[in-house]
Amino acid sequence: MSGDRGAKARFWTDFDGRMTGVMLAIAVLGLLQIYSATHNSDLAAAFPQQCTWLAVGLVAYVAVSNADYHNLVALSPWMWAVIVLLLVYVLAFADPINGARRWLVLPIGASVQVSEMAKVVLLLVVARYCGGFVAGKVRARDVVPVIPLFFAVFLLVILQPDLSTALSLLPLLAMALFLSKIRKRYFAIAGLLMALLALLAWSTLKPYQKDRIMGFRGPSEAPLSSGYQILQAKIAVGAGGLWGQGLGQGSQTQLRFLPAAHTDFVLASFAEERGFAGVAVIVSLYMWLLWRITDTARKAREPEGMLIAMGVAALLLFHLLVNGGMVANLLPVTGLPLPLMSYGGSNLLAAMAMLGMVNSVRIRRFVN
C-alpha cells in the first residue's frame, strides 16, 4: 500500500502541469473558433461534438500519463497488429466518404479515423526498435524490423487514399534517423526511399486532388476552382489586421466564403477574427508546448523515452509547418489539420494521447 501511495504522490508531484495548461489553452481557443465558424449553420453540431471529444481526450491524456510508457512500448507489436487489421478492415469494408475509406464507425455511432490512431502506435514501434539504434548499441541491420512495420502502415494509409496523413508519419522515422548514430550514407538511402514513396503516393491521387495540391503555385489563375481555398484564406488573414474583427465578426468566416473554416483553415479563420496579435499568441503557445516536449526528451532516462518525446515534437512541428504554410500560400493545400485546434475528434484524441506519453516520460524520469 505504501508503494501505491508513493507512486500516486510521484504522479501528482511530477505531473507536467505547465504542458497540460498550454495544451488546454490551445484546445479551448480552438473550441471558441470552431463555435464561431459553425454556429447558425448546418455545421453547428461540430462545437458540441468537439467538446465531447475534448473530454474524452482529457481522460485519455490522464490515463496515458499514469501508464508506464515502458509497458506501452513493450506492447507496441500487438498494438501494431491491431491497427493494421483495422486499416485493412476500413479499406475493404468502410463506406467511402468523398472517395476515401478512412473512418471506422463505432457501435455508439461515432466515427474514428484509424490512420490517426496509427500515429500513436507507430510512435511506440519506433521507440521500441530504434532505442538501441539511437544509443549506438546496435548496428543498422538490427533495426531492419521497423522498416516493414512502418511502411506497411504507410502504404495502407496511402491506399485509402490519405496522402496528408501518410506523409505526416514520415517525421517519426526521420527523427529516429536524425538522432541515430549511424553512418551518413544511410541518410542518403533513407532520403531516396522517402522520395520513391512520395512518388508512389502521388500516383494514387485522383486528378482533382493533384490540381488542388498544385494550385498553390498560382491560385489567381483558377480563382473559382483549385485556387479558391487559398485566395479566400489570404483574404481572411489580410482582413484580420492587427487586432482582428472580433469573435463571430469575421466576414469571410461568417458569410461562409472561407471553406473548411473549422477544420483545415481554422488558423485563417482565427487570424481574421483575432488578428496578428491573436496569431502571435497561438504561435507562442505552440512554441512553448514544443519547448516543454523537447525539455522532457532531454531529461528522459533512456533512448525510448527520448524517442517518444522527440517523435511527438516532430509530428507536432510537421503539422504546424504544413498547416501554417498552407494558409500562407507557401505550401499546397493538403488537408492536414492544426493539432488541438482543428475540428476532428480522432486527431484531437491522438494528439492528447501522444502528449500523455510525453507526460509519462517526464513523470518517470527519476524512477530507478
Side-chain angles (χ1 to χ4, degrees), residues 3 21 55 57 62 71 113 115 174 240 252 257 271 296 348 350 359:
V62 174
N71 296 333
Q113 191 171 341
S115 56
Q252 295 297 113
F257 289 117
T296 296
L348 180 63
N359 202 9

Side-chain angles (χ1 to χ4, degrees), residues 17 48 74 104 157 164 196 226 235 274 295 349 368:
L104 176 68
V157 175
S164 59
L196 292 174
S226 60
I235 293 171
R274 306 301 180 92
D295 183 65
L349 180 59
N368 294 323

Side-chain angles (χ1 to χ4, degrees), residues 15 22 38 116 234 284 286-287 335 343:
F15 189 89
V22 174
T38 59
E116 289 290 343
K234 291 174 70 176
S284 298
Y286 275 118
M287 292 302 101
Y343 170 76

Side-chain angles (χ1 to χ4, degrees), residues 273-288:
E273 298 192 344
R274 306 301 180 92
F276 176 81
V279 172
V281 170
I282 203 69
V283 170
S284 298
L285 288 173
Y286 275 118
M287 292 302 101
W288 193 1

Side-chain angles (χ1 to χ4, degrees), residues 292-367:
R292 198 66 180 171
I293 295 170
T294 54
D295 183 65
T296 296
R298 182 177 62 85
K299 295 177 179 177
R301 293 179 57 246
E302 70 287 289
E304 289 77 10
M306 185 264 289
L307 276 174
I308 287 175
M310 290 305 295
V312 174
L315 278 173
L316 182 61
L317 183 60
F318 181 81
H319 274 257
L320 291 175
L321 292 176
V322 172
N323 187 275
M326 179 180 72
V327 170
N329 193 24
L330 298 175
L331 291 173
V333 177
T334 59
L336 205 63
L338 190 61
L340 302 174
M341 279 196 73
S342 291
Y343 170 76
S346 300
N347 181 262
L348 180 63
L349 180 59
M352 297 185 79
M354 287 189 286
L355 289 171
M357 289 183 195
V358 176
N359 202 9
S360 177
V361 172
R362 191 173 192 91
I363 289 168
R364 288 158 183 83
R365 67 191 186 278
F366 297 130
V367 178

Side-chain angles (χ1 to χ4, degrees), residues 14 29 91 114 131 151 159 186 193 198 233 239 278 328 331 337 357 363 368:
D14 295 330
L29 288 174
L91 195 59
V114 181
F151 288 111
L159 291 174
Y186 290 110
L193 181 60
L331 291 173
M357 289 183 195
I363 289 168
N368 294 323

Side-chain angles (χ1 to χ4, degrees), residues 73-97:
V73 169
L75 290 171
S76 61
W78 297 101
M79 295 181 186
W80 178 88
V82 171
I83 210 71
V84 165
L85 288 175
L86 290 176
L87 285 170
V88 171
Y89 176 84
V90 167
L91 195 59
F93 300 109
D95 294 328
I97 300 176

Side-chain angles (χ1 to χ4, degrees), residues 18 65 71 94 153 175 181 201 208 233 247 299 338 341 360:
R18 295 179 184 178
S65 297
N71 296 333
V153 174
M175 179 57 67
K181 297 177 181 179
Y208 80 90
L247 184 66
K299 295 177 179 177
L338 190 61
M341 279 196 73
S360 177

